[in-house]
Amino acid sequence: MSTDQEKSEFRDYCRRWLEENRPPPTELPLPQAAYEVTYESHRNYLCDWQAKCYEAQLIATDVPAQYGGHGHDGFQSIASSEVLRAKVPYFINWIGLGMTAPTLLIHGTEEQKERFLPPIFSAEEIWCQGFSEPGAGSDLVSLQTSAVRDGDEWVINGSKVWTSLGALASWMLLLARTDKNDKYNGITYFLAPMDQEGVTVRPIHKMTGESGFNEVFLEDARVPDHLRVDEIGAGWKVAMSTLTSERGAAQGVGAVASSESPMAAVNQLIQLAKDTRRNGRRVWDDPVWRDRIVKIYERTEAMIQNGRRSRVEALNGGAMRLPLQGKLVGSEVRQELGEIALGILGMRSSLYVGDEHAEADGRWPLSYMNSYTGTISGGSSEIQRNILGERVLGLPKTK
Amino acid sequence: MAQNTDFGFDDDVRMLKESASRFFLEKETLTKLRPHITGTEDPHIGEVRAGWYATEDWQEMVELGWPIVAVPADAGGIGMGLVAAVALQEEIGRAASPTPLTGTLQATFVLREAQATSELQLIASGQSMALAIHGEDGSLELDSTDVTVSNGRLSGTSWYVQDAQKVDGYVVAAAAGNGIGLYHVPRDAVEVLPDRIVDLTRDQARVVLDNVEATEVAPPGEGETVLAQAMPALLTLLAADIVGAAEWQVQETAEYARVRTQFDRPIGFFQAVKHPIVNMMIAVDEARSLVYNAASAWDSDPDDALRTALLAQSSASDCASFCSNRSTQLHGGIGFTWESDVQIYHKRQMHSQFLYGDATWHREKLAALL
């Protein structure tokens, strides 16, 4: 392990580097989170930024050098928290960093790790995730996209949905069924090239009007067998470890998907209530609104302290109890925060992005609507509660 | 100031918490409490309950040094921080234990702020103590006492005194012309009139003072300051008790949902049962993290003690209400009966929830800091 002195020096270095290398703002404002990126101009800007951060050792900080990492020990969490703190742009390849890399580090072959990890870190190759299907959302294990062996290749047929970054990605984490008669052991995990005939990407517009995710149709698409991860039929087991990364248990290589820390959003909410006058007084002077706002502040501080407590073995109530709450609580608190912001604005919350009179260019109704991404994707809040009830409290499995 | 990573839970505090956890489990406090509340069920006809506690267990705690963990070394104590007292109080709450340790820990932090060495020495000698600082209206302001002081003698009634029947003495807030003073009064100098209360694990009383001679702990005008300085510690201790009791409610409700069968399945299979238990756990974890944060701030970042304590209490107070509600509901009929321990915890939480102010009150105080 690195010493406290080394960690402190590394923190100072990160802080200095981020201050000196902060990129200029984009002409068209960036979307609020990495999973909403749609436009080429944003892609190019964000890929350049991520490559620069990778070179500066803020990404893949603790990954061994043979896989393109920087080979430190215990520095990644410092780098990631400094990135978040500096309020710089997020990393576009958040699926590659947050899901592909941890999965390959655990389940990948040497060749797969050496081939795929460096371009994930540098954002030369963007990744998307092909798990959910029109008929398989929360009940993911019922997915039907098929993979049929043809010599050294697999032939893929089916469709995937809610594919963030699908239009920009060159690779997909793909779950496909290799055995129709074995629900859990009939799924295999592949690394699928997107740039081929047989793969069609069609954007889906969200309720916000923005694009940001896609439908992906796979019609006789092909994946070579050496791009299979782990054994045939081991896909469900591998996917569960990937989903664990998505749920925040393995922030191992530096994925930062949003530039806004939870407490920064709360501070903006408080400021909004102080700046907004209605019926002859500030909204902050209305005790009912104030109580709701302070409750959000309280829960946000609790999330931060949960993070601190989760690292103290004697106090955390078990290794997974607090980490498994992070996504659920964070996304629900964020949604409540959005609702309160709309309430503070009242009739002004109707003014949306592009309206010259809109508060903060309409970001409050926009972020409120986008908060449903948090409570639905990556295992909905309902699924998260199943997982917590079953894994932490030992309640009977829903299935 | 940089935060310590372990909230100040060093090896000594961890060992203290573990041994307290074992102690209360072995003592089976509620089993021992049962005979003393049997026959007092119906409030319409029953007698006022005496404030029972296991005196032999208290003696053991005195021998273990628990009442003096936070008494400074120069007053004969162990000199540990709030974090140690919080560790004990969380275990007291988990066991729903009626014990004079609760009041004594509270009094300790008031006496510490008053630098009342001789009264701290009384605690070090094995005496228990409780705070008597509220007036009849239950106002949450620190100058709400109905007791007055004149020529060093106290007169009037102190209301809502916790554990009043169990302790050897009181720290009394009394008003003089120029503000509030704090005084130590021994148990045998006052009349104790027990209240008929909901909670079975506490006793509460009016303490009547009739021209009682008292030892000054803080002079008139300084009492409010001392109480204000001690308040973060009092709130944090109270919140720790709530968190301990709420963890019991989560674990007990989960256990019941694993074993109670309806529709041919354990009821924990159904998401209408499973999800609320998870929500209970989330509420407890938020409150617990804020409690440890507040204890840590009190011990090592005093400028942040008030903010963090207000966060801890407001979160814990909401947690008490929510976990009690769900634990009774999800136990169905059995949880609603006198014979179930679920009602004992529910009633302890109903009491704790409003001591020293509720969640809304404390969030209002927080708003002033934001």
Side-chain angles (χ1 to χ4, degrees), chain A residues 128-159:
Chain A
C128 65
Q129 181 205 45
F131 282 17
S132 296
E133 298 179 3
S138 288
D139 185 16
L140 185 58
V141 78
S142 66
L143 63 89
Q144 294 301 324
T145 293
S146 68
V148 177
R149 187 78 183 244
D150 178 20
D152 285 343
E153 291 189 325
W154 294 84
V155 182
I156 316 291
N157 279 285
S159 67

Side-chain angles (χ1 to χ4, degrees), chain A residues 189-201:
Chain A
Y189 202 114
F190 297 99
L191 310 172
M194 295 288 283
D195 186 17
Q196 61 168 308
E197 265 185 63
V199 176
T200 312
V201 180

